[in-house]
Amino acid sequence: MSSILARKFADWTIPQEEKESVRATYMTDQVGFAAVVMNGREARLYDVRRSTDDAARLLQLPVRHPLTGFAFRPKNEKWPGFEAAVAYGDDTVSVLRINLSQLEDEPRKLFMPRAHSVAYSHDGAMLAAGSTDGLLRIWRLYPQPQEIVYVSTGQKCVNSLAFDNNNSSLFFTSGCNVRCLNIPAAAPRQKPAAEGEEAQAKPVVNVWRYLVSNENKEEEFNWDCYCVQTHPLLPLVAFGGYGGDVLLHNHKAGPKSDIQTISTGAGRYVRSLHFIAQHNQLLVVGQTGVEVWNLGNKPSRFPLAYRDQPGSGMPLGARQYADTVYVMRTQR
């Protein structure tokens, strides 16, 4: 992630056939890879390390299933290479971890039937997956994968996930609902005790509704929210979906504290959110534009903004590399 304030935008155009449409796009925090999942759930992976002009170097993902979820693992000293996790909704093993530097290797498998969404923690040490029937699994990945949470949320399909900045909470969306669960610091689920042994208590995992009205703290928002993102360093969480507003909240203050509303000009649908940690900014990708917002007591729009131009394709995702915000968009 860049420590330089953004000064300009540049396009990465996604080639697509006339009858194709893009469901979602994903970009690594550092210059590396970009991925596209089509509405037919075909996935395409691009290596963008050799060029910042376009995303034209197409690679072959070692996945034969239509994908429902995708996430890039953040890089750090413990795992300096590139990795991605994918979900493909099968009734058997349906979460795969892929080494992007060696695509010929067999993907590492994690058991999660009917997986629909996946997300890594900001430090890359944990991975979460949500299913079409409301189940959640969380694994610690280092030094070896260990399941630490397996819980039914009581909700329908889990659409999106995000770990908080210190790996103590997981936020997720399900239809019009936003929920949060606590991540236990204890060891993973214990095996049944042998005869004569004292059974060990399982870690308690609490799931609670998250977004409530500022006027009525008991009233839950009824809002089509499909996008959640958290700040990697601060206890901030942002939500987006239908409508041009983004809701921003300090989760350390508790779920019933006031929620800030950011009224963007990025279109009637907020597609993705990304925090630029070094400058405490939020990158908002909407139906027709991309905006950068300065955060604080009163969020303010940064002068840099990208607007849909006649003849240009729809913006789908964005990341800042060096002094440039690269916007992935469709071809028209």
Side-chain angles (χ1 to χ4, degrees):
M1 293 180 284
S2 175
S3 60
I4 307 170
L5 282 170
R7 296 190 179 95
K8 58 183 178 179
F9 284 99
D11 283 340
W12 274 339
T13 302
I14 302 167
Q16 63 176 20
E17 302 296 329
E18 185 176 346
K19 295 183 179 181
E20 288 182 326
S21 61
V22 177
R23 180 173 180 265
T25 63
Y26 307 87
M27 304 170 74
T28 49
D29 282 345
Q30 302 176 33
V31 177
F33 293 86
V36 178
V37 177
M38 313 302 288
N39 270 329
R41 293 177 177 173
E42 172 195 355
R44 298 172 188 168
L45 178 68
Y46 297 92
D47 185 343
V48 298
R49 290 174 291 183
R50 299 183 182 181
S51 170
T52 53
D53 297 326
D54 54 47
R57 187 166 179 249
L58 182 63
L59 303 175
Q60 187 67 41
L61 268 173
V63 183
R64 294 182 294 273
H65 306 272
L67 298 190
T68 56
F70 193 102
F72 285 114
R73 187 180 192 176
K75 293 177 67 176
N76 63 33
E77 294 177 356
K78 290 182 179 178
W79 25 87
F82 287 98
E83 177 181 297
V86 302
Y88 58 85
D90 203 307
D91 281 339
T92 58
V93 174
S94 59
V95 174
L96 301 178
R97 295 170 56 205
I98 300 169
N99 183 346
L100 301 181
S101 300
Q102 299 183 28
L103 288 170
E104 67 279 3
D105 290 356
E106 183 75 16
R108 286 167 285 187
K109 300 175 181 179
L110 294 171
F111 182 71
M112 178 63 170
R114 298 170 296 282
H116 185 78
S117 53
V118 285
Y120 286 98
S121 60
H122 292 291
D123 61 1
M126 302 172 74
L127 177 65
S131 75
T132 55
D133 47 4
L135 294 176
L136 278 175
R137 267 191 166 97
I138 301 176
W139 299 269
R140 293 196 194 280
L141 300 179
Y142 182 81
Q144 295 295 330
Q146 287 185 310
E147 180 188 298
I148 60 170
V149 169
Y150 172 54
V151 64
S152 173
T153 66
Q155 302 299 302
K156 297 180 180 179
C157 181
V158 177
N159 293 309
S160 59
L161 304 152
F163 287 88
D164 75 341
N165 61 309
N166 60 10
N167 296 344
S168 62
S169 300
L170 181 75
F171 300 91
F172 63 96
T173 65
S174 179
C176 296
N177 298 320
V178 177
R179 295 290 186 267
C180 183
L181 66 81
N182 68 298
I183 300 173
R189 179 171 65 168
Q190 303 294 323
K191 295 180 180 179
E195 186 175 353
E197 293 182 356
E198 184 178 349
Q200 294 183 336
K202 295 180 182 179
V204 176
V205 179
N206 297 315
V207 179
W208 64 89
R209 59 182 190 159
Y210 194 75
L211 289 181
V212 294
S213 168
N214 285 347
E215 290 76 23
N216 181 352
K217 299 302 183 182
E218 301 302 323
E219 181 182 343
E220 187 172 16
F221 280 7
N222 183 15
W223 179 44
D224 286 331
C225 174
Y226 294 106
C227 176
V228 55
Q229 188 55 264
T230 54
H231 196 291
L233 304 177
L234 301 175
L236 295 177
V237 57
F239 302 92
Y242 284 109
D245 289 346
V246 171
L247 300 186
L248 182 69
H249 186 245
N250 181 334
H251 60 82
K252 282 293 185 184
K256 294 187 178 182
S257 62
D258 284 353
I259 297 167
Q260 292 178 302
T261 300
I262 301 175
S263 297
T264 76
R268 294 176 58 191
Y269 178 78
V270 174
R271 184 178 297 274
S272 71
L273 300 164
H274 181 69
F275 284 95
I276 304 172
Q278 288 82 348
H279 308 297
N280 198 24
Q281 293 178 322
L282 181 65
L283 191 57
V284 180
V285 181
Q287 185 179 22
T288 58
V290 180
E291 296 179 347
V292 182
W293 283 77
N294 293 319
L295 304 178
N297 292 332
K298 189 175 182 181
S300 60
R301 186 184 286 110
F302 190 65
L304 196 68
Y306 173 104
R307 290 287 176 265
D308 192 9
Q309 300 296 325
S312 65
M314 180 185 301
L316 299 166
R319 287 291 186 277
Q320 181 184 342
Y321 303 135
D323 67 345
T324 304
V325 175
Y326 289 89
V327 179
M328 294 187 73
R329 63 179 182 85
T330 56
Q331 203 173 44
R332 276 189 184 167

